[in-house]
Amino acid sequence: MPQLTETSLPSLSAGCRVQGRDGVATLLFPEGAIKLQGTALSIVQLCDGTHTLAAMVAALAEGYSADAERIRADAVTFLERLHTRRIVDY
């Protein structure tokens, strides 16, 4: 399994997409769906294959006025869980 690094470019896997708006959305994937809001939604929206993990953390830390290290730890944990379920590639 590939390691998530600062230069990784997370993207949604084939067959996965986000549906919804107004701060609440559903992440649809072949085996099911996950309701997203808040930070989880922000992370998934940045999983477009053009943002590195480092850029994602910087954007989230600025957007939420939060500590970058804590954001990084939470984002890595979340992305690794999605990767294990084959929802995100990097």
Side-chain angles (χ1 to χ4, degrees), residues 68-88:
E69 285 306 311
R70 180 169 177 166
I71 291 280
R72 184 188 186 288
D74 291 346
V76 166
T77 299
F78 183 63
L79 289 170
E80 286 176 343
R81 286 181 183 160
L82 293 179
H83 182 73
T84 299
R85 295 178 74 177
R86 298 183 183 158
I87 298 170
V88 169

Side-chain angles (χ1 to χ4, degrees), residues 19-74:
Q19 180 176 316
R21 59 181 171 262
D22 299 328
V24 179
T26 303
L27 174 59
L28 304 171
F29 54 100
E31 297 83 23
I34 300 171
K35 190 163 280 215
L36 300 172
Q37 56 187 358
T39 309
L41 176 57
S42 297
I43 291 169
V44 170
Q45 288 173 328
L46 290 169
C47 289
D48 59 6
T50 64
H51 293 89
T52 64
L53 174 62
M56 292 171 71
V57 168
L60 292 165
E62 182 178 326
Y64 287 96
S65 300
D67 176 59
E69 285 306 311
R70 180 169 177 166
I71 291 280
R72 184 188 186 288
D74 291 346

